[in-house]
Amino acid sequence: MEVAVLGAGTMGRGIAGASATAGHEVTIRDVEPPYVERGIESIGETLREGVDRGTVAPEERAAALDRITGTTDLADLAGAELVIEAVPEEMELKRETVADAERVTDGAVIASNTSSLSLTGIASALETPGRAIGLHFFNPVHLMDLVEVVVAEQTDDATVEFAEGFVEGLGKETIAVRDTPGFATSRLGVAIGVEAMRMVEQGVASPRAIDRAMELGYNHPVGPLELTDVVGLDARLDILEALHEELGERFHPPRILKRKVRAGKLGKKTGEGFYVWEDGEPVGPADE
Ligand SMILES: NC(=O)c1ccc[n+]([C@@H]2O[C@H](COP(=O)([O-])OP(=O)(O)OC[C@H]3O[C@@H](n4cnc5c(N)ncnc54)[C@H](O)[C@@H]3O)[C@@H](O)[C@H]2O)c1
């Protein structure tokens, strides 16, 4: 199948790489040639790591890269049966992007990788909104087995079936979720994260103890506070504010989170969040 991916950033390159590895012809579009080139280079690097680990054969890597074409020209999407947008998380940009994709393709299913915006709001930018769906991939795409299939108010049954078939062909598992704030994964993940932050605030236990509770008590690979540091405290605050508005008080952003974001303590990327980070590792608790 011909698949078009819009945006060659973190997610777009992952989705393009997974699609090409599964045998699809992929066109990846970004707004400037260097972004496209960097995206394709990065797909090559990820596949190279797969070869080094023995999970990808060298000829599979070469064949996958051969199936990827980069472009900045929207007209090159014309033959796509599936378009997946992974442009920045802004409603107006997403609406323009899907409308452009609909205009230049002929009956393609148009999917959005949004992690928090209303699919129903994105779909309403289309002339035929029944073709819109959410395909919420997780980072890093090549290692994460889940794709949340987000069903907008307008999405047709045939679109859901098509999208689920595509994801299964990538060797990943789908869960179908109605278009509601935070879908399933962000809502559940953030609910645990926000309670963990309140527990730090109330002095219930140290961040490390709270993380160990979930890692050893529930077999989570990483605790909620370390995960917040990895995702970025600013990103977590944005999602919480959106969920608070839609779902009420239980998602009220804790003061400790707002305080840290105001102080520029955004987690791993700035060297401090709930932990102090050095060389990409948490080395101790941050001062409260
Ligand atoms: N990063 C994650 O962990 C993650 C996980 C799940 C979902 N998402 C979602 O995926 C989407 C993309 O996130 P990301 O982290 O890959 O962002 P990113 O900033 O890494 O990449 C976005 C890319 O889109 C490009 N772009 C901007 N306008 C464009 C246009 N009109 N057409 C084509 N490309 C355009 C940018 O130049 C950039 O290269 C967002 O909706 C985000 O919420 C992100």
Side-chain angles (χ1 to χ4, degrees), residues 34-233:
Y35 301 162
V36 177
E37 285 153 26
R38 181 69 202 104
I40 295 178
E41 255 172 49
S42 156
I43 297 169
E45 285 159 18
T46 302
L47 286 165
R48 162 79 55 215
E49 287 164 21
V51 171
D52 293 345
R53 273 199 310 270
T55 53
V56 178
E59 54 281 10
E60 270 179 310
R61 172 180 184 272
L65 288 174
D66 267 353
R67 287 192 281 267
I68 300 175
T69 311
T71 188
T72 54
D73 188 354
L74 267 178
D76 290 337
L77 273 54
E81 284 170 66
L82 171 64
V83 178
I84 306 172
E85 75 74 20
V87 303
E89 189 77 339
E90 293 158 31
M91 182 52 104
E92 268 326 297
L93 177 62
K94 301 266 189 206
R95 284 173 55 85
E96 272 168 37
T97 302
V98 296
D100 284 346
E102 182 181 47
R103 191 166 41 74
V104 298
T105 54
D106 182 16
V109 165
I110 300 188
S112 171
N113 187 49
T114 182
S115 38
S116 63
L117 299 174
S118 158
L119 232 296
T120 302
I122 296 172
S124 68
L126 298 183
E127 302 267 329
T128 50
R131 284 199 238 128
I133 195 155
L135 285 181
H136 183 205
F137 286 83
F138 294 82
N139 184 27
V141 175
H142 65 290
L143 297 179
M144 299 295 282
D145 287 335
L146 179 67
V147 177
E148 241 176 342
V149 174
V150 184
V151 182
E153 297 291 332
Q154 309 95 322
T155 308
D156 290 339
D157 290 349
T159 302
V160 177
E161 209 175 300
F162 176 89
E164 287 178 340
F166 168 74
V167 173
E168 280 152 25
L170 303 184
K172 299 191 186 294
E173 195 165 318
T174 58
I175 54 166
V177 183
R178 219 157 43 80
D179 180 31
T180 46
F183 314 140
T185 49
S186 301
R187 184 165 167 173
L188 288 168
V190 165
I192 295 174
V194 79
E195 202 53 37
M197 291 175 212
R198 290 194 191 111
M199 288 164 70
V200 174
E201 230 167 30
Q202 293 165 8
V204 173
S206 69
R208 177 47 76 205
I210 292 168
D211 278 346
R212 294 309 271 168
M214 295 311 288
E215 290 164 2
L216 300 178
Y218 287 84
N219 266 352
H220 285 202
V222 53
L225 297 164
E226 189 176 330
L227 185 62
T228 300
D229 272 10
V230 172
V231 170
L233 274 65

Side-chain angles (χ1 to χ4, degrees), residues 235-267:
R236 270 286 148 111
L237 180 58
D238 285 347
I239 295 188
L240 262 174
E241 282 171 343
L243 293 186
H244 179 224
E245 204 176 302
E246 299 274 345
L247 300 173
E249 277 312 293
R250 64 192 189 281
F251 288 102
H252 195 286
R255 274 212 309 280
I256 190 171
L257 178 64
K258 290 200 212 164
R259 197 158 38 78
K260 283 181 185 286
V261 170
R262 259 199 308 271
K265 296 175 179 175
L266 306 182

